[in-house]
Amino acid sequence: MRHRLVRLFTALRSATGTGPRFVLLMALVTVSSIPLFDGLFAVVAVADNPRRGFDGAVGCLYAAGYDPSTTDLNNLVATLRRPEALAKCFGEQPESYRGTLATLVLLAVAGLVYWWLPKVRDRRRTTLPVEDVDADGTLGAELAALRERTGVRSDLRFRVDPRRLTSGASVYGRTGDYTVCLHAGLLARRGTDPEGFRAVVLHELAHVHHRDVDYAYASTALWRVFVLLALVPECVLVGWIIALALSGTDSPWWPGALPEMLSTVFACLLLAGLVHLARADLLRRREFHADLRAVAWGAHPATWDRPEPPGVVPPLLRRLTTLLRTHPDWAERRRVLADAGRLLRVSPLEMFLTGASASLLYASLGTLPFLPGGRPNALWPTLALITPVLCCALGLPVVRAARADGPTDSGATAGLWLGCGLLVGEFVASGRYRLDWLPQQPQLLLVFLFIGAVPAVWWTQSLRLALGLPKRGVRWAVAGLCALVTMTVLWAGLLWWRWGGERIALGAGDPGEGLAKQYREMVPGRWQDYGFDLSTLSAGMSLLTPLYGDALVAAAALLLWLVPLVLLLLQRAGPGLRVRRTLGAGLAGGLLSWAGLATAQIALYVQRPATPKARAGPFLVVHSWWMIVGLTAACLLTAALVAAFSRRHWLLRALIAAQVVQLTSYGGVFLLYSADGCLGPLNTVFDRCQWHAHNGLVVDRGVTLLTLPNAVLGSGCAALVGAGVAWSVRRLRGRPRPDVPALPASTAPVRRRLRFLKTAAVLVLGVPALLLAVVINTLPSASPVAGQLSQQTDAAAPHRAPAPAEPGKKKPEPTPPGRRSKLHTWQVWSWLNNGGARYARQIATASLALNSEILKVAAQPRNKNGKVSVDEKPFHRLCGALGTRVEEAQNYLPVPDQGLQDAWSDALARVRSGARDCQAALIPPKGAPRRPEAERAQLFTASLNGIVVGLRSLTGTVKDITKAATWAAK
């Protein structure tokens, strides 16, 4: 057993590095099949019963007011009028596992194909054992010698295909059971070209040694079954739906939802092209690795000096279809043999496919019924599959360059291609849930370039520093930490897009000026004097608050600059890696930040209200906001300049310098607000000179809360821009930046004074940043505005209760049945089916229980005064239960008809008021005086009458809603 484990470990160590990409490819195909099968089953269910098309999450959206004929922005605002109720509706829906079960069946079929494919191939090709064609036994002996040379221990057999006259071979099989099929032409070549014969056999044995036969055959079997059972039926289904719409079928989905339907087709085509390109690239790479392994085992490189076979494909078309072929041509193979480093260079296609796979994988994972939390939690499984691909692809060239003391690519190009893949995949995948051809601000999609490039460059540069450490175990530990930080930074970028960027791109960054309204309500004052400032504040908060209060993001932002700082200080490579200039640039940027803060103070001084009370209102909020803007701008500018003028590790140095600016700026903000009143034209609120440390801490914490992680991540993006601008200027001048190799490690002892300075630098910068991160993520928010902003960002729309009708204003009438559209019927029926009818039944049940108690009391014998004795506790309990049921109904989604909604809310308000009066008449609330008996009896009777009137109105409203939900107009 131990021997087998050792062999397996050796085989895995000698693998080609394509394993993570094969795993990602197969995971993408598997997960993508679940929503495709769910869609197919949903269409079948709708064909049998149209109402079933509005079960589940779709019904909740229609109940909330979803309209397929309007825009994405309108739907977003409409469906999030009551986000808690919508989330509750989603949570109450039964999960459907039909797509998951169908995917399991698909995997079982693919497993059977993978298992039986070698046998089918043997029978179809009618191959023969080597012993049948080896008359003198020399062929078998030579094959055994070659196998012994390679050390292949798997179950392996050689067969001959007598019908193939080419001088090649192939290997196929499944785990632990492989077959090397020799063509008849190769046996003839053995006599004339024994070196060529051995090279071909060694090449096939290299595939077995690399274990890429398993990946290749497993992915091929899974892909073919997926295309046959899921991809083709989905495309046929969408085509059938579009054909029905073009034939004149009346539907609210047509033509408004045409972009969504076509996007489904585009997503399927992208998936098909993505998987084929990825498979073709991986299969070509495994051929290159097998060639290199065969040469390492003794194959002569001259064997690959062969001309291309003549064919009917023109040379131009052959070059254009290079990426589509699964087998490289001889010229490509000779180039790789001449320069093995070509395989370690990061391919733009590889990074683009990885990014697109991430977007498609995330979109499919968000639909899984067994994934807790839905789409937000789908990021971690996606990154768990993407990060190994990214780290391996970018890390292998860095390791090779470090061993040879050669130059290292920055990783920026690879990161940009990764971002392009994320952009394309996001645009196509998100289009399956959009009604607009383009989001209102499509330029915001370019943020994916930064989301992909920042972690890629950071991983490349930090790994190179980690490889410069003296001990091997420490190098591995630091490299693992860097990989985790890379994954977390990539997660933070994608999370920002999910919680903020996507909504801003749809035009819902501040829908209905919700943030501005909240500021006006929470901080009263003359906001009309700060129109531009308030609009800038609302737009800026939409950018800063998506990552608000996330401890993991704060930890990633801290490690993003602290790990490189420690690694730079631990290097012993001479003056080239000193960080004195970087820290000096940070201090200069800090002074620039102080100057900017002072300039902002002076500019706002002219708008300073006359009294301190007025200054503590909108003026102070605007003043704090411009402090945030000035601090952030100083960090971004410093990062861009440091990256532009740094020769090596430019992103890491830019982050360190930006952090110095950040910490220095926090000190400046604290001093400005603590010494308020002593600074003349820099005063904010006070006129009398006094030390206000509490005010400085409160404002400084609010500034830190919004800038500590955001400024670091934003500085990484600014560093990319600065480095890109500097590179462009050098190219225009004809002086591109030279590749600077890393300096060899010095063996000279480090002086104690130098060690002290390095430790002091880490402590001076790291301890305050760590304390700030702990404080802002552990203590409760000091500002109610910040909490409200966080809630507003999550909801994307203000949560407002229905406004009461104005006196004398006529309520809107329900839509007449004659003018009722099919869409209106779908919406109202979904509202009833997904909760409205249930809440009405619960209210009716509670009212029946109260009525039964009333009848029970009425049947009792009367006293001498003609009255009956009433037990107050049952009535108090029953009225409370009725009020609770009414409150639950009031918190439900509004009726998708304004007239019916007004009638529904009015009837519920009457019933709830009667239930409250009933409870107050029987048992007064805590602290309220007990009323006289006669007054209590009168209030109790009036409350029951109010409940009856409200229930009668509610019954009529429910009947109207039921009529509006009839399917006669279908």
Side-chain angles (χ1 to χ4, degrees):
M1 182 66 180
R2 182 180 178 183
H3 184 59
R4 292 182 179 179
L5 292 176
V6 171
R7 287 191 306 169
L8 176 60
F9 179 71
T10 303
L12 291 176
R13 286 190 61 187
S14 62
T16 60
T18 56
R21 292 187 62 193
F22 270 114
V23 172
L24 172 62
L25 185 64
M26 291 186 284
L28 175 62
V29 172
T30 302
V31 175
S32 299
S33 62
I34 297 178
L36 292 182
F37 281 126
D38 278 331
L40 292 173
F41 286 125
V43 171
V44 173
V46 170
D48 181 60
N49 182 5
R51 296 191 180 189
R52 298 189 63 180
F54 301 96
D55 292 337
V58 176
C60 292
L61 290 176
Y62 273 94
Y66 178 79
D67 185 353
S69 62
T70 185
T71 63
D72 292 320
L73 178 59
N74 292 337
N75 278 324
L76 182 63
V77 175
T79 55
L80 291 182
R81 283 179 294 180
R82 294 185 182 176
E84 298 86 1
L86 184 61
K88 183 179 179 182
C89 182
F90 287 151
E92 293 174 347
Q93 302 306 316
E95 299 289 356
S96 174
Y97 291 91
R98 295 175 299 184
T100 304
L101 295 176
T103 301
L104 293 178
V105 174
L106 182 145
L107 292 176
V109 174
L112 291 176
V113 172
Y114 168 74
W115 188 262
W116 289 103
L117 193 59
K119 295 184 178 181
V120 172
R121 182 168 181 173
D122 284 338
R123 293 178 181 178
R124 187 181 63 179
R125 297 286 179 86
T126 61
T127 59
L128 303 174
V130 171
E131 293 78 10
D132 294 351
V133 297
D134 186 17
D136 54 2
T138 57
L139 176 59
E142 185 172 4
L143 293 175
L146 292 175
R147 180 177 177 180
E148 185 67 25
R149 181 195 301 182
T150 60
V152 174
R153 296 292 182 265
S154 301
D155 292 337
L156 180 67
R157 62 180 183 273
F158 291 92
R159 300 182 68 88
V160 177
D161 188 350
R163 298 184 179 182
R164 301 291 295 272
L165 302 180
T166 57
S167 59
S170 61
V171 59
Y172 55 91
R174 54 180 180 267
T175 304
D177 185 12
Y178 304 104
T179 301
V180 176
C181 183
L182 309 177
H183 299 173
L186 182 63
L187 299 183
R189 182 183 178 185
R190 175 171 171 255
T192 60
D193 185 12
E195 286 292 339
F197 171 81
R198 285 190 287 271
V200 172
V201 175
L202 290 174
H203 174 90
E204 303 305 328
L205 291 176
H207 285 305
V208 179
H209 176 76
H210 289 158
R211 304 180 66 87
D212 56 24
V213 181
D214 304 326
Y215 288 119
Y217 268 77
S219 62
T220 300
L222 179 61
W223 175 240
R224 291 177 179 176
V225 174
F226 172 77
V227 170
L228 182 63
L229 298 183
L231 197 59
V232 172
E234 176 69 16
C235 293
V236 172
L237 173 64
V238 175
W240 176 66
I241 294 175
I242 295 176
L244 285 179
L246 292 175
S247 65
T249 301
D250 183 24
S251 172
W253 283 89
W254 186 263
L258 178 61
E260 182 173 353
M261 288 185 285
L262 290 182
S263 184
T264 302
V265 179
F266 295 154
C268 293
L269 294 177
L270 176 63
L271 179 63
L274 178 72
V275 175
H276 180 77
L277 287 173
R279 284 185 63 251
D281 183 59
L282 288 170
L283 293 177
R284 288 197 304 272
R285 282 179 174 268
R286 79 178 192 130
E287 297 297 330
F288 295 141
H289 284 287
D291 289 342
L292 292 173
R293 175 60 61 180
V295 172
W297 282 338
H300 200 284
T303 307
W304 279 263
D305 294 335
R306 302 177 60 184
E308 296 295 334
V312 296
V313 180
L316 178 60
L317 182 61
R318 185 176 181 84
R319 286 194 295 270
L320 294 176
T321 58
T322 299
L323 299 179
L324 301 178
R325 296 197 304 268
T326 60
H327 217 78
D329 55 31
W330 290 106
E332 291 178 288
R333 299 172 75 167
R334 287 192 294 270
R335 285 194 293 268
V336 171
L337 288 177
D339 181 13
R342 297 173 65 93
L343 280 182
L344 296 178
R345 296 170 190 168
V346 183
S347 168
L349 176 65
E350 178 183 355
M351 289 291 98
F352 176 83
L353 296 176
T354 301
S357 300
S359 295
L360 294 180
L361 185 62
Y362 168 78
S364 298
L365 281 172
T367 64
L368 298 185
F370 49 82
L371 186 66
R375 290 175 65 86
N377 288 344
L379 282 176
W380 286 117
T382 302
L383 293 176
L385 294 168
I386 297 300
T387 305
V389 177
L390 176 65
C391 292
C392 287
L394 297 177
L396 290 177
V398 175
V399 173
R400 181 176 181 271
R403 290 174 178 175
D405 291 330
T408 303
D409 185 73
S410 66
T413 303
L416 291 175
W417 278 107
L418 177 69
C420 287
L422 289 170
L423 189 155
V424 173
E426 170 65 23
F427 178 75
V428 174
S430 64
R432 300 166 66 180
Y433 313 102
R434 290 203 320 263
L435 298 174
D436 297 333
W437 290 103
L438 289 172
Q440 289 193 6
Q441 300 184 28
Q443 69 277 5
L444 200 64
L445 289 169
L446 296 177
V447 75
F448 280 105
L449 300 180
F450 296 98
I451 293 176
V454 170
V457 176
W458 191 91
W459 161 252
T460 302
Q461 297 184 359
S462 61
L463 179 63
R464 184 60 188 261
L465 288 178
L467 294 176
L469 298 176
K471 296 182 179 180
R472 181 179 181 183
V474 176
R475 290 198 298 268
W476 277 99
V478 174
L481 176 63
C482 292
L484 290 177
V485 175
T486 301
M487 181 173 67
T488 308
V489 173
L490 184 58
W491 168 80
L494 295 175
L495 185 68
W496 178 89
W497 172 258
R498 300 304 167 197
W499 288 122
E502 190 173 17
R503 292 172 179 171
I504 299 174
L506 291 176
D510 186 14
E513 297 185 351
L515 290 172
K517 291 179 181 177
Q518 285 193 2
Y519 272 112
R520 294 190 185 99
E521 293 174 359
M522 291 184 294
V523 185
R526 293 181 54 83
W527 280 103
Q528 60 270 23
D529 298 337
Y530 306 98
F532 172 75
D533 306 273
L534 186 57
S535 62
T536 306
L537 172 61
S538 301
M541 286 298 177
S542 300
L543 295 173
L544 295 177
T545 52
L547 301 179
Y548 164 85
D550 195 293
L552 190 58
V553 174
L558 176 65
L559 295 175
L560 203 61
W561 65 268
L562 186 58
V563 170
L565 175 62
V566 174
L567 291 176
L568 282 171
L569 293 176
L570 289 178
Q571 303 297 311
R572 298 181 180 182
L577 288 174
R578 293 177 181 174
V579 295
R580 288 181 299 180
R581 292 184 179 180
T582 302
L583 297 178
L587 290 176
L591 295 177
L592 176 64
S593 174
W594 281 32
L597 296 178
T599 302
Q601 292 271 75
I602 295 174
L604 291 171
Y605 188 78
V606 297
Q607 297 180 333
R608 194 166 174 250
T611 62
K613 182 178 180 181
R615 298 168 193 162
F619 174 75
L620 182 58
V621 175
V622 170
H623 199 280
S624 302
W625 166 245
W626 286 114
M627 296 297 103
I628 294 174
V629 172
L631 185 154
T632 306
C635 293
L636 301 185
L637 180 60
T638 302
L641 292 176
V642 170
F645 291 98
S646 296
R647 301 179 64 193
R648 197 167 49 244
H649 311 303
W650 47 268
L651 177 63
L652 307 183
R653 295 181 182 278
L655 292 172
I656 296 171
Q659 184 61 28
V660 175
V661 175
Q662 200 170 349
L663 295 177
T664 307
S665 300
Y666 291 152
V669 172
F670 174 75
L671 290 176
L672 285 174
Y673 285 93
S674 297
D676 191 17
C678 306
L679 303 176
L682 301 181
N683 291 336
T684 305
V685 176
F686 301 101
D687 294 320
R688 187 177 61 179
C689 184
Q690 188 177 354
W691 184 253
H692 306 279
H694 176 72
N695 294 346
L697 290 175
V698 170
V699 176
D700 207 8
R701 182 170 182 265
V703 173
T704 305
L705 191 67
L706 291 171
T707 57
L708 186 62
N710 287 300
V712 176
L713 298 175
S715 297
C717 300
L720 283 174
V721 175
V725 171
W727 178 84
S728 301
V729 171
R730 282 190 292 267
R731 288 296 298 268
L732 292 176
R733 287 181 164 185
R735 294 184 297 175
R737 183 194 313 209
D739 292 328
V740 182
L743 297 177
S746 174
T747 58
V750 181
R751 292 177 297 174
R752 291 184 177 181
R753 181 182 178 185
L754 186 58
R755 288 180 179 175
F756 173 77
L757 293 177
K758 290 181 178 181
T759 305
V762 174
L763 293 178
V764 168
L765 294 178
V767 172
L770 179 61
L771 292 177
L772 288 174
V774 171
V775 168
I776 67 172
N777 286 283
T778 54
L779 295 181
S781 176
S783 173
V785 177
Q788 292 292 333
L789 289 175
S790 176
Q791 296 173 9
Q792 173 64 21
T793 305
D794 292 339
H799 182 179
R800 293 278 188 269
E806 298 178 6
K809 184 177 180 180
K810 186 177 180 180
K811 297 180 181 180
E813 297 292 335
T815 306
R819 299 203 307 267
R820 192 176 301 139
S821 66
K822 183 183 297 186
L823 171 63
H824 180 268
T825 303
W826 289 355
Q827 291 175 335
V828 179
W829 187 89
S830 298
W831 184 89
L832 272 177
N833 183 57
N834 290 278
R838 184 179 72 253
Y839 289 121
R841 287 194 301 268
Q842 291 175 351
I843 294 174
T845 301
S847 64
L848 287 176
L850 179 61
N851 187 55
S852 299
E853 187 65 23
I854 295 174
L855 295 177
K856 180 181 177 181
V857 172
Q860 294 179 1
R862 299 180 178 271
N863 299 329
K864 293 180 179 180
N865 56 4
K867 298 181 180 180
V868 295
S869 300
V870 177
D871 188 0
E872 297 178 349
K873 291 183 179 180
F875 277 99
H876 186 274
R877 176 178 55 81
L878 292 173
C879 288
L882 178 61
T884 301
R885 296 304 183 187
V886 172
E887 290 178 3
E888 293 174 353
Q890 287 178 323
N891 292 328
Y892 180 53
L893 297 168
V895 184
D897 184 294
Q898 189 59 48
L900 294 175
Q901 168 59 25
D902 290 341
W904 169 262
S905 60
D906 182 67
L908 291 177
R910 292 184 181 182
V911 177
R912 186 181 182 185
S913 177
R916 286 180 174 178
D917 292 342
C918 172
Q919 287 186 296
L922 297 172
I923 300 177
K926 292 181 180 180
R930 189 174 182 86
R931 296 182 176 137
E933 191 69 25
E935 184 179 350
R936 292 174 58 216
Q938 184 179 4
L939 180 60
F940 178 69
T941 303
S943 66
L944 294 181
N945 292 333
I947 291 175
V948 171
V949 173
L951 289 173
R952 188 179 298 118
S953 175
L954 184 63
T955 302
T957 302
V958 172
K959 290 182 179 179
D960 292 339
I961 295 175
T962 305
K963 290 180 181 179
T966 57
W967 287 68
K970 176 176 66 69

